Amino acid sequence: HPVFHDGRWQLLQPAPGWDGNESHGHMVASLWQMENDVRVIAANLSDAPAQSHLVLDLPGIANHTWDLQDLLSGQTYRWAGEDLAERGLYVDLPANGYHLFELVRR
């Protein structure tokens, strides 16, 4: 997809899912953006579950509702932009789990 070739890439820094939970250290995540086309990839590189919040640096993210469509599983998750701006995207991945999200503004 063109966003992965021509878009802006950003390494995301996973933050703890909650105080005292260090499993976020097993995650890697990236964001690609090209105009209104946004993708987020998150992967758990460990053999145990991991949870994290991912801060998404997207101008105006708080002003919209977002559908996060996982292009690998077919699942869609709806998020309030205010929650994404305030806390970040919460990700809970099983051992060796991953997401490839397309963010669609509603």
Side-chain angles (χ1 to χ4, degrees):
H1 191 278
V3 73
F4 297 113
H5 300 283
D6 302 322
R8 178 181 65 93
W9 174 81
Q10 178 184 3
L11 180 64
L12 300 177
Q13 298 299 322
W18 58 84
D19 288 341
N21 179 349
E22 297 299 319
S23 66
H24 68 284
H26 300 290
M27 283 196 192
V28 294
S30 295
L31 180 143
W32 282 265
Q33 181 180 15
M34 189 171 68
E35 298 176 13
N36 292 328
D37 198 354
V38 180
R39 302 288 196 281
V40 172
I41 294 178
N44 176 5
L45 303 180
S46 76
D47 58 0
Q51 300 79 30
S52 178
H53 281 99
L54 302 174
V55 176
L56 307 178
D57 183 21
L58 297 171
I61 193 170
N63 302 330
H64 303 281
T65 298
W66 296 85
D67 283 349
L68 280 72
Q69 300 173 344
D70 189 330
L71 301 177
L72 301 174
S73 72
Q75 295 224 316
T76 299
Y77 306 90
R78 183 157 288 174
W79 281 83
E82 293 168 352
D83 289 339
L84 290 172
E86 184 177 317
R87 295 182 209 118
L89 172 63
Y90 177 74
V91 179
D92 185 353
L93 289 170
N96 303 304
Y98 45 83
H99 288 298
L100 169 52
F101 290 122
E102 177 180 12
L103 280 69
V104 179
R105 186 174 55 197
R106 294 289 167 210

